[in-house]
Amino acid sequence: MHASGTAIIALAGVTKRYRRGDDARPALDAVDLSIDRGEIFGVIGESGAGKSTLLQLVNGLTTADAGTVTVAGRDVGGLGRRGLRELRRDIGVVFQGIHLLSNRTVAANVALPLQLAPRAQRQSRQEEARAVAEILEFVGLGHRAHHYPAQLSGGERQRVGLARALVGRPSLLLCDEPTSSLDTTTTAEVLRVLARARDELGTTVVVITHDLDVVKAICDRAALLERGALREVLTVARSDYRSLPSYAEQVRRELQA
Ligand code: ADP
């Protein structure tokens, strides 16, 4: 189910150690991995397996000690400050427990990335307002534009975070445990947005998660990391985020003998 079959992310022989000359096991060890444009790709593995390190290498937040990381045709390790800034404009990022500015409305939070763009690339205020309104509709929160973060539920806040990550229409969206603090109903809402970002906006989505239900619900393939090594890349037998168990069903399943 790969839309175009061309790689947007390619890691070749990537090794990352956090301390030079450290004899300890590297955080990532000789990893080869390729993620296609248009995929929803899962990264799974136990705590400490190297999942976050992998995302940070793609985003240029850290550099590899060996090997190359290529994103949308750019060698990330060879980019200067300006190149990194351009790369990051093409990458949306969502983390667990998204941070929104509490004194700004939902719309003003979502507008932030547009306002931080270099002057030459800024849109007019009207265009920015339209982009914000469109992406808030897209995540199902058009009616919340003028509310403040404290007035929202956890799931709504996470969708505001998604809107903020998507407002610049990046070709790549990196998500680190985007649903880990949510219940099953709100998880399904967030997953629906991720699936629609791929289907309707053409965004490639990489999602770190420890929740295999999330992988089954939306991922085409998933990489299993084990202590820094890429153990295998699995093709996912998909279920559907719409068939995720309801909270009541889950409670019954988990608690009843
Ligand atoms: P995961 O996201 O799968 O939990 P990480 O990529 O965060 O794994 O970590 C992989 C390994 O690298 C772990 O052993 C972790 O302790 C180590 N590590 C991660 N970040 C740092 C850092 N900034 N400094 C030193 N060690 C780190």
Side-chain angles (χ1 to χ4, degrees):
M1 230 175 292
H2 312 159
S4 67
T6 56
I8 187 167
I9 297 175
L11 274 68
V14 169
T15 294
K16 170 69 187 174
R17 286 178 193 282
Y18 281 99
R19 284 172 295 268
R20 267 182 207 293
D22 191 349
D23 293 337
R25 168 172 65 73
L28 281 181
D29 193 2
V31 170
D32 294 313
L33 177 66
S34 166
I35 299 177
D36 289 343
R37 259 181 212 281
E39 273 197 287
I40 301 186
F41 193 93
V43 180
I44 54 181
E46 292 175 306
S47 182
K51 305 182 295 295
S52 304
T53 300
L54 195 151
L55 279 205
Q56 285 174 16
L57 285 164
V58 169
N59 209 2
L61 286 174
T62 188
T63 49
D65 297 301
T68 53
V69 179
T70 312
V71 177
R74 309 169 176 102
D75 174 0
V76 177
L79 293 176
R81 270 169 55 175
R82 191 167 165 176
L84 278 175
R85 228 182 296 132
E86 274 169 24
L87 172 78
R88 291 190 191 128
R89 261 206 307 284
D90 200 28
I91 300 179
V93 183
V94 187
F95 289 105
Q96 170 183 1
I98 199 80
H99 293 293
L100 301 173
L101 298 178
S102 58
N103 58 349
R104 281 184 157 230
T105 63
V106 164
N109 267 283
V110 172
L112 264 181
L114 301 178
Q115 292 164 354
L116 293 174
R119 193 174 299 220
Q121 279 154 29
R122 285 223 25 205
Q123 302 168 303
S124 70
R125 267 167 189 275
Q126 238 173 1
E127 285 166 331
E128 283 182 1
R130 194 178 319 128
V132 169
E134 271 175 18
I135 206 72
L136 279 175
E137 283 299 329
F138 183 80
V139 302
L141 291 175
H143 61 295
R144 291 294 214 176
H146 304 296
H147 288 85
Y148 286 86
Q151 297 172 290
L152 308 182
S153 71
E156 287 175 329
R157 274 200 287 273
Q158 196 67 342
R159 279 187 285 148
V160 175
L162 276 169
R164 188 176 61 182
L166 291 170
V167 71
R169 302 296 170 102
S171 37
L172 184 59
L173 179 66
L174 305 178
C175 310
D176 194 347
E177 298 282 4
T179 59
S180 63
S181 56
L182 305 177
D183 61 44
T184 48
T185 309
T186 41
T187 290
E189 286 166 9
V190 167
L191 297 183
R192 183 154 40 95
V193 172
L194 294 180
R196 287 182 50 233
R198 188 270 298 277
D199 294 345
E200 296 171 32
L201 308 179
T203 319
T204 304
V205 180
V206 180
V207 52
I208 289 183
T209 181
H210 66 272
D211 186 343
L212 297 183
D213 279 341
V214 167
V215 176
K216 283 198 77 166
I218 57 164
C219 293
D220 303 306
R221 296 191 301 153
L224 171 60
L225 291 175
E226 223 172 53
R227 302 180 354 123
L230 177 63
R231 176 73 189 268
E232 58 185 312
V233 177
L234 305 123
T235 300
V236 177
R238 290 273 290 281
S239 61
D240 192 305
Y241 58 86
R242 282 171 291 241
S243 65
L244 281 179
S246 70
Y247 185 62
E249 277 163 355
Q250 206 186 27
V251 167
R252 234 177 280 126
R253 199 169 72 183
E254 298 286 328
L255 299 185
Q256 242 171 14

